[in-house]
Amino acid sequence: MTGKFLDFTPEMGNSPRLRLVNVVFFGAFHALALLAPWFFSWPALVLLVFLHWLFGSIGICLGYHRLLSHKSFQVPKWLEYVIATIGALALQGGPIFWVGSHRQHHAHTEDINLDPYSARRGFWWSHMLWILYPRPQFFDYQFYQKYAPDLARQPFYRWLDRYFLLMQIPLALLLYFLGSWPFVIYGVFLRSVLLWHSTWLVNSASHLWGYRTFESNDGARNLWWVSLVTYGEGWHNNHHTYPHMAKSGLSWWEIDMTWWSIKLLQILGLAKKVVSAPGHSITRE
């Protein structure tokens, strides 16, 4: 087992430094999310669940991950841009940053110097400390854009990568108009925190616990409860074995909600060249 739970050692490789701006930003979001019990309403809770699915499953899992990072399927350009915009609203970085980091992760899985969130640095590093201790080779545009040149060539993606954070302002204003402060607390702050930790669990918990269907040189594992909160991304051993396939859950019990959305797009004629793995062997439909 390569993952360790409490062994964060910044001395490994290039020693990163804590960035106070990142600590304040993420700390403020977590603090404001804790106000949720005092702003509870049933409509706000429904909004939270809906936006967690929309930004998480459609924006991040389907959009940033399977569509942009791995090109597991193709959609019309207008729809690709809509999905990428939803991904940017998830507040997990711009598309060039996210895709560039993820491709580095796959190219150098668990290398302590070349994998942005290497599980060999321990649970908390792969979960969130890699963001609080940012290293230039993963967070400076001139570096990470080299891993996503297909996106960096497109002005729209450069714009999203630069202004994704500011997009939260019109979102917050819209939510305030629709439901006042409960909608803002649940739809922006609590939603962001829950979605962050859901996504980060793929990098941390799915390299520590779970089962392996395929033999591989990394510690990626299939973990059912991570898949439930990430809409299918927790079948991590499957994904690392076949990173370009559109469906992560291969067995009947491996629920993959994001795949259901891709399949719907395919039925509607909007998703083409869907990469599948029938019989656990890669083919193209």
Side-chain angles (χ1 to χ4, degrees):
M1 182 177 297
T2 58
K4 290 182 277 187
F5 191 73
L6 291 173
D7 183 20
F8 167 56
T9 53
E11 295 77 22
M12 298 170 67
N14 298 325
S15 181
R17 294 183 178 181
L18 184 68
R19 188 176 183 188
L20 184 59
V21 171
N22 293 16
V23 174
V24 171
F25 176 81
F26 285 98
F29 264 70
H30 281 72
L32 290 169
L34 292 175
L35 297 176
W38 289 272
F39 289 88
F40 175 81
S41 72
W42 288 110
L45 182 61
V46 172
L47 175 72
L48 168 67
V49 173
F50 172 72
L51 291 184
H52 190 283
W53 167 80
L54 179 65
F55 295 162
S57 182
I58 304 303
I60 297 299
C61 303
L62 185 150
Y64 272 18
H65 189 206
R66 304 189 198 187
L67 177 61
L68 298 183
S69 296
H70 294 293
K71 300 185 181 297
S72 300
F73 61 99
Q74 294 179 7
V75 296
K77 184 59 71 173
W78 67 266
L79 181 56
E80 177 184 313
Y81 284 171
V82 169
I83 294 172
T85 301
I86 295 172
L89 287 169
L91 201 57
Q92 295 191 10
I96 302 175
F97 163 77
W98 204 102
V99 171
S101 298
H102 191 70
R103 288 177 179 173
Q104 289 179 77
H105 168 66
H106 274 274
H108 310 286
T109 305
E110 296 181 351
D111 185 296
I112 61 173
N113 293 318
L114 300 178
D115 182 348
Y117 27 87
S118 172
R120 290 180 59 197
R121 286 179 174 256
F123 176 92
W124 286 110
W125 174 268
S126 58
H127 190 74
M128 64 184 297
L129 288 177
W130 70 281
I131 300 173
L132 303 183
Y133 288 82
R135 290 180 287 174
Q137 63 266 40
F138 306 129
F139 284 84
D140 287 2
Y141 180 82
Q142 64 266 31
F143 292 114
Y144 66 71
Q145 61 90 21
K146 295 178 182 178
Y147 283 83
D150 51 328
L151 303 187
R153 286 192 295 266
Q154 302 181 53
F156 180 73
Y157 284 123
R158 294 198 300 269
W159 185 89
L160 275 186
D161 205 68
R162 184 173 184 178
Y163 295 111
F164 76 93
L165 182 59
L166 294 178
M167 292 169 60
Q168 294 297 307
I169 297 176
L171 174 63
L173 291 175
L174 174 62
L175 294 179
Y176 182 82
F177 175 78
L178 293 174
S180 192
W181 286 112
F183 272 34
V184 175
I185 296 296
Y186 278 75
V188 175
F189 299 106
L190 184 57
R191 179 268 307 170
S192 295
V193 169
L194 293 179
L195 188 54
W196 284 336
H197 286 283
S198 298
T199 304
W200 296 341
L201 283 170
V202 178
N203 304 329
S204 55
S206 292
H207 279 263
L208 184 62
W209 301 295
Y211 63 91
R212 285 154 54 95
T213 302
F214 303 99
E215 290 296 327
S216 61
N217 295 323
D218 58 61
R221 285 163 164 74
N222 295 324
L223 192 55
W224 68 270
W225 56 270
V226 171
S227 282
L228 289 182
V229 298
T230 59
Y231 309 99
E233 300 293 76
W235 310 120
H236 209 42
N237 173 249
N238 296 347
H239 174 62
H240 270 258
T241 302
Y242 298 126
H244 296 290
M245 68 181 176
K247 183 181 181 181
S248 290
L250 297 180
S251 299
W252 67 266
W253 67 83
E254 294 176 341
I255 297 174
D256 185 356
M257 291 182 63
T258 299
W259 164 247
W260 300 346
S261 298
I262 297 173
K263 192 64 179 178
L264 177 60
L265 290 175
Q266 188 180 34
I267 292 172
L268 295 175
L270 293 173
K272 305 289 185 180
K273 297 183 178 180
V274 179
V275 180
S276 59
H280 303 325
S281 63
I282 286 294
T283 63
R284 283 188 178 271
E285 293 184 353

